[in-house]
Amino acid sequence: TPKPSSAASDVYKRQLIFTFVIGTPTAFWIHFVKNKFLSKILDIFVEIPVVLPPAVAGIALLLTFGKNGIVGNFLASHGINIIFTSTAVVIAQFFVSSALYVRVLRDSIKTVPIELFEVSYVLGAGKIETIIKIMLPMLKKSVVSGLILAWIRSLGEFGATLMFAGNIIGKTRTMPLQIYTYMQDDIKMATAFATILYIMTFVLLLVVRLSVKDDD
């Protein structure tokens, strides 16, 4: 049975970039929303994918990006197909893991004194400039920790990826899908890959914990 290709590592890189680019402004947006009720509603929308059963997440993505979906229908009319591609893997992983990054970054933003924003505004910096030049450098450890947590979650993503992207060799097969494939006829290889995934997860979580401890 073929091993996972280098395409899988490229998928994880794209997922991390996607998480940072989309998740960062989302975290700040939720923080700056003045209406507490609206802020809580946004929190719920962001965190729903974390608690959704994998099958439900996969169906939601198919209904959205499938050829008859809200977004998929528009893309199909322009000759763009998402499902059963590496892009589908990235979207599935982002869907189920980005909330972890947003949560970590949002909690860190709350610890920044409001006076810092006020001083920045007085000195002539806008909100976006303040976030990019002052806030993100200050919160870099939280950014890295959040991205690692999101990556750990995406490493173990299985159900939504299988339903939305399939299990195509060299294209959409991730490590959990490879373990699933090995389970059919080679339990030893499945166990070996599962052990590697477990060790990777443990080491990455340890890095996050040590980073948080250093901040404390």
Side-chain angles (χ1 to χ4, degrees):
T1 306
K3 296 181 180 180
S5 71
S6 58
S9 61
D10 179 62
V11 163
Y12 291 123
K13 291 176 185 177
R14 290 162 59 192
Q15 179 261 330
L16 282 177
I17 293 172
F18 202 47
T19 299
F20 176 78
V21 171
I22 303 297
T24 301
T26 299
F28 278 98
W29 180 42
I30 293 174
H31 174 76
F32 285 118
V33 169
K34 294 181 180 180
N35 188 306
K36 291 185 178 180
F37 177 76
L38 178 58
S39 178
K40 290 187 179 296
I41 293 298
L42 292 173
D43 275 339
I44 291 172
F45 272 114
V46 169
E47 296 185 2
I48 276 179
V50 176
V51 297
L52 277 180
V56 176
I59 291 174
L61 291 172
L62 283 172
L63 291 176
T64 302
F65 294 97
K67 291 184 178 180
N68 295 319
I70 300 172
V71 178
N73 185 42
F74 172 78
L75 294 176
S77 66
H78 291 78
I80 301 173
N81 177 55
I82 297 294
I83 59 174
F84 304 121
T85 66
S86 60
T87 301
V89 180
V90 174
I91 293 175
Q93 292 180 345
F94 170 80
F95 184 74
V96 301
S97 68
S98 58
L100 297 176
Y101 172 71
V102 173
R103 185 187 299 169
V104 170
L105 184 56
R106 182 195 60 202
D107 291 343
S108 297
I109 296 171
K110 291 179 181 178
T111 64
V112 178
I114 189 63
E115 292 79 13
L116 185 62
F117 292 97
E118 295 173 351
V119 170
S120 178
Y121 299 154
V122 169
L123 293 176
K127 185 175 290 186
I128 295 178
E129 187 177 4
T130 300
I131 291 173
I132 294 175
K133 293 186 176 180
I134 299 176
M135 296 295 295
L136 286 180
M138 285 181 57
L139 302 172
K140 61 183 179 181
K141 282 191 176 181
S142 296
V143 170
V144 173
S145 297
L147 287 175
I148 292 176
L149 283 175
W151 189 40
I152 292 172
R153 177 63 185 87
S154 65
L155 280 174
E157 167 50 33
F158 174 79
T161 304
L162 180 62
M163 293 187 64
F164 183 49
N167 186 16
I168 305 171
I169 299 174
K171 190 174 182 181
T172 66
R173 180 172 293 179
T174 59
M175 187 174 288
L177 291 176
Q178 183 65 63
I179 294 172
Y180 171 76
T181 303
Y182 276 135
M183 282 291 293
Q184 312 304 311
D185 54 18
D186 194 339
I187 188 64
K188 290 184 178 179
M189 285 299 294
T191 303
F193 268 79
T195 302
I196 292 172
L197 188 57
Y198 177 85
I199 294 173
M200 288 175 61
T201 301
F202 177 84
V203 172
L204 290 170
L205 279 174
L206 180 62
V207 170
V208 172
R209 293 298 183 186
L210 292 176
S211 176
V212 172
K213 185 177 180 180
D214 287 343
D215 284 344
D216 295 339

